[in-house]
Amino acid sequence: MAYSITTSSNAFRCYSETLRFASRQHHCGRVNPNPSSLLSFNSSPFLAQTLGASLLSVSRRNIPVRAKMAASEGSINGSNRMLVFVPPHPLIKHWISVLRNDQTPCPIFRNAIAELGRLLMYEASREWLPTVVGEIMSPMGAASVEFIDPREPIAVVPILRAGLALAEHASTVLPANKIYHLGISRDEKTLLPSVYLNKLPDEFPKNSRVFLVDPMLATGGTIIAAMGLLKERGLSVQQIKVICAVAAPPALSKLNEKYPGLHVYAGIIDPEVNEKGFIIPGLGDAGDRSFGT
């Protein structure tokens, strides 16, 4: 999917376009083995990029969407722009579709959002986790091996309630991770966040890598509050990756302004947020649908 962004005062709207991918994509003369969709946000003006296609022009006075190949996330690390990755994996699209359906019952919804979270954390951890190499004996002889380095902590911070469901399968992807719960509610009238539970450490260990998990990035108030709490505890933007099921332009705009260089992994990006702070078309209330309340 390609996304363009229109500017009207401080509002941002995304329009979804279909991109047709050729059977072979090249960058610098070689095939990219791991194509991934990405949105790159500049401070001003905003740019939207998606990997795997050529320049796409759009109407309605929209900013053009430029598409290019990147061999890996490592080739764009260090950028001062916020990057939003939308992995074009068919299983991610499948689980998003299950979550979209208003007829999906609670147990299936919760399983679907957990599966989506597992896939997004797998994608986000690519080339980001520290490793150590060594040699062990297999049943057939000596073998060179590579393990995740247990000396450099990996943490998952789900924002309650729905973040619990999205992070439910984190331990199946991330070895030896710790989970710190963070409860943030949103006032239904003002849409302002309020922290009601904080189980974060006073300071994160040096070289920590933290996955901040919040299913819906809508108005941006909750994720901005959570990022602030993580920064207060010694984390840099480069030590944090945000995992979400659905993101919308208002939240992405605020994150870009306040935390350039942040990497966000989303299942999909929807075009707008309504006056009640819900993403349209979105998934509805992910917490209510996950826990049947």
Side-chain angles (χ1 to χ4, degrees):
M1 303 293 286
Y3 299 86
S4 58
I5 301 173
T6 49
T7 57
S8 174
S9 300
N10 294 320
F12 300 90
R13 182 179 296 272
C14 292
Y15 295 95
S16 175
E17 303 285 348
T18 299
L19 282 180
R20 298 175 181 265
F21 292 88
S23 58
R24 294 174 64 87
Q25 305 285 349
H26 292 79
H27 176 66
C28 298
R30 56 190 182 131
V31 177
N32 174 19
N34 296 306
S36 170
S37 294
L38 169 153
L39 288 179
S40 170
F41 285 83
N42 272 327
S43 56
S44 179
F46 277 75
L47 256 192
Q49 293 180 332
T50 184
L51 306 183
S54 58
L55 179 65
L56 176 68
S57 296
V58 293
S59 57
R60 295 185 174 179
R61 298 172 59 189
N62 293 341
I63 298 172
V65 179
R66 184 177 300 279
K68 66 179 182 179
M69 297 299 297
S72 67
E73 183 182 342
S75 65
I76 51 179
N77 276 336
S79 170
N80 61 356
R81 297 173 296 177
M82 189 185 79
L83 301 177
V84 182
F85 296 84
V86 183
H89 197 294
L91 286 174
I92 289 176
K93 296 176 182 178
H94 169 81
W95 293 120
I96 285 289
S97 299
V98 172
L99 295 170
R100 291 265 207 217
N101 189 351
D102 65 359
Q103 299 301 308
T104 298
C106 173
I108 296 177
F109 185 95
R110 182 167 175 176
N111 178 72
I113 202 167
E115 286 295 320
L116 177 65
R118 183 166 68 93
L119 292 168
L120 290 172
M121 277 184 268
Y122 172 83
E123 293 288 345
S125 62
R126 189 189 303 272
E127 296 188 5
W128 197 52
L129 301 181
T131 59
V132 291
V133 296
E135 188 174 89
I136 62 170
M137 291 298 297
S138 82
M140 305 304 293
S144 296
V145 294
E146 190 170 355
F147 292 103
I148 301 300
D149 190 344
R151 297 167 298 180
E152 300 196 24
I154 302 169
V156 179
V157 179
I159 299 179
L160 277 55
R161 290 174 302 161
L164 287 174
L166 192 62
E168 188 171 338
H169 292 340
S171 61
T172 68
V173 179
L174 305 170
N177 69 87
K178 294 184 178 181
I179 297 181
Y180 300 100
H181 296 99
L182 185 58
I184 302 179
S185 61
R186 187 175 69 172
D187 186 282
E188 293 183 1
K189 294 183 178 179
T190 65
L191 303 182
L192 295 176
S194 175
V195 178
Y196 65 87
L197 178 70
N198 184 347
K199 291 296 183 179
L200 299 176
D202 292 335
E203 186 174 358
F204 280 90
K206 185 180 179 180
N207 298 326
S208 291
R209 286 164 172 79
V210 176
F211 293 87
L212 180 57
V213 182
D214 187 9
M216 313 299 287
L217 303 188
T219 62
T222 298
I223 197 68
I224 292 293
M227 283 290 298
L229 291 172
L230 294 183
K231 291 276 289 181
E232 288 173 5
R233 285 155 176 79
L235 294 175
S236 67
V237 168
Q238 289 70 32
Q239 292 176 271
I240 305 168
K241 288 196 177 183
V242 174
I243 305 294
C244 67
V246 185
L252 296 178
S253 172
K254 291 177 184 177
L255 281 172
N256 173 70
E257 291 172 4
K258 199 166 182 65
Y259 300 108
L262 182 66
H263 287 190
V264 177
Y265 281 76
I268 198 166
I269 298 177
D270 276 352
E272 61 184 308
V273 174
N274 68 14
E275 66 281 358
K276 294 183 179 181
F278 283 92
I279 298 175
I280 305 299
L283 315 174
D285 190 307
D288 287 350
R289 298 190 67 195
S290 292
F291 298 103
T293 55

